[in-house]
Amino acid sequence: MIVHLAWFIDGLKYLRKVTDHVVIIDALRCSATIVTALEHSVRSIIPVERVEDGLMLKKRFSRALLSAEVDAVKVPDADVGNSPTKVREILSRKRYDVMIIRTSAGARAIKKALSLGFKTVVIGTFLNARAVARYLANRASSVGILCAGYKGKYFAIEDFLAAGAIVGELFSLLGHLNPEDQALASHLAFKSAKDSLIDVILMGRSARRLAEIGEEYDIQESIRMNVSEVVPVAFKNEIRDASALI
């Protein structure tokens, strides 16, 4: 398997030229929020680009949870921000069939990937690295990993390391892998950092921003390794667990 890695929404154009399959990573926190929602009874997640789109869409459903943030801060009219911790707490008290999600980087990247016509759009992170690798291993001869980045335009250490975690799981499953240089570098970086992952990620600007707004509890929640078997797959403008698409 050939593994490519690119950054930000514009990187999807390059990945579309070299593969039909892409993994979207926004480790802090969109990917973790999506995985968590699907773990806790949500059947369908709809990504939107604008807060206004999310508010209008919510009116169409009797039981829809709106998760929305701008610059990491919960939007006043949203039910919850982009927080896996808060989403888990809400879903433990009340069932929602649908979640609508708007984030500064990850949700927009998912929407763009769908518009470009990838055959497979998977959402991955530390939580489900092994499950994502297992899902892809026998489905693709090449795959692209898209790191959404901080605010969708700056390098994010947590996205790079989450990419490395997935590459590492692919190595373990397949025995042989042909990663291009950025993908290989992410794998080597993760191997070096995995025993002190929280300390490394806490030094990054995404984690510093979460601490600044008092939501540092989401950092540890988002970087737990291989705790979920959920594989979120985006298809026709919604995201479902892969098991629901079989």
Side-chain angles (χ1 to χ4, degrees):
M1 178 187 284
I2 301 171
V3 183
H4 307 271
L5 188 150
W7 284 88
F8 321 129
I9 286 177
D10 284 347
L12 286 166
K13 296 175 184 177
Y14 159 71
L15 292 178
R16 188 66 192 90
K17 293 177 182 178
V18 296
T19 184
D20 291 326
H21 312 278
V22 67
V23 180
I24 306 293
I25 297 175
D26 183 356
L28 289 179
R29 299 167 280 178
C30 181
S31 293
T33 298
I34 288 170
V35 170
T36 300
L38 292 174
E39 283 270 17
H40 292 82
S41 80
V42 169
R43 293 186 293 109
S44 173
I45 298 174
I46 304 172
V48 295
E49 290 193 36
R50 303 185 308 159
V51 174
E52 294 80 5
D53 297 335
L55 291 168
M56 290 184 64
L57 188 58
K58 180 183 164 88
K59 296 175 182 178
R60 300 184 191 177
F61 299 95
S62 59
R63 290 190 298 183
L65 182 70
L66 176 58
S67 164
E69 57 88 358
V70 174
D71 194 21
V73 177
K74 174 185 172 294
V75 173
D77 291 330
D79 300 304
V80 65
N82 177 28
S83 168
T85 305
K86 295 297 184 183
V87 164
R88 175 171 46 79
E89 290 173 356
I90 289 171
L91 294 175
S92 67
R93 298 192 301 267
K94 184 177 179 180
R95 181 183 176 88
Y96 288 88
D97 297 323
V98 175
M99 185 173 83
I100 302 159
I101 188 165
R102 189 279 168 193
T103 70
S104 299
R108 293 173 57 236
I110 295 165
K111 289 278 290 181
K112 184 64 175 179
L114 288 169
S115 75
L116 290 174
F118 285 93
K119 289 182 180 178
T120 307
V121 179
V122 173
I123 292 82
T125 187
F126 300 103
L127 305 180
N128 65 343
R130 183 171 298 149
V132 166
R134 194 182 300 124
Y135 181 80
L136 292 169
N138 297 316
R139 283 177 169 83
S141 59
S142 69
V143 64
I145 298 176
L146 191 283
C147 295
Y150 178 67
K151 295 187 177 182
K153 56 185 178 180
Y154 302 110
F155 179 90
I157 188 64
E158 68 279 0
D159 289 354
F160 193 59
L161 294 174
I166 292 171
V167 174
E169 294 294 344
L170 285 169
F171 263 118
S172 297
L173 282 169
L174 298 174
H176 175 74
L177 207 62
N178 185 12
E180 58 82 42
D181 284 9
Q182 283 201 78
L184 176 60
S186 73
H187 169 56
L188 296 174
F190 176 74
K191 284 180 66 176
S192 176
K194 64 180 180 179
D195 292 334
S196 54
L197 194 59
I198 185 65
D199 296 324
V200 174
I201 288 175
L202 282 171
M203 292 189 283
R205 71 172 90 190
S206 300
R208 295 199 305 270
R209 175 59 179 157
L210 292 181
E212 184 180 282
I213 63 173
E215 297 185 13
E216 60 270 25
Y217 46 77
D218 273 334
I219 302 169
Q220 186 67 61
E221 182 78 10
S222 299
I223 68 168
R224 295 173 297 140
M225 279 300 305
N226 292 323
V227 296
S228 177
E229 292 298 316
V230 165
V231 180
V233 176
F235 180 72
K236 291 185 178 179
N237 204 38
E238 69 171 337
I239 304 163
R240 291 179 178 258
D241 184 12
S243 64
L245 300 173
I246 297 173

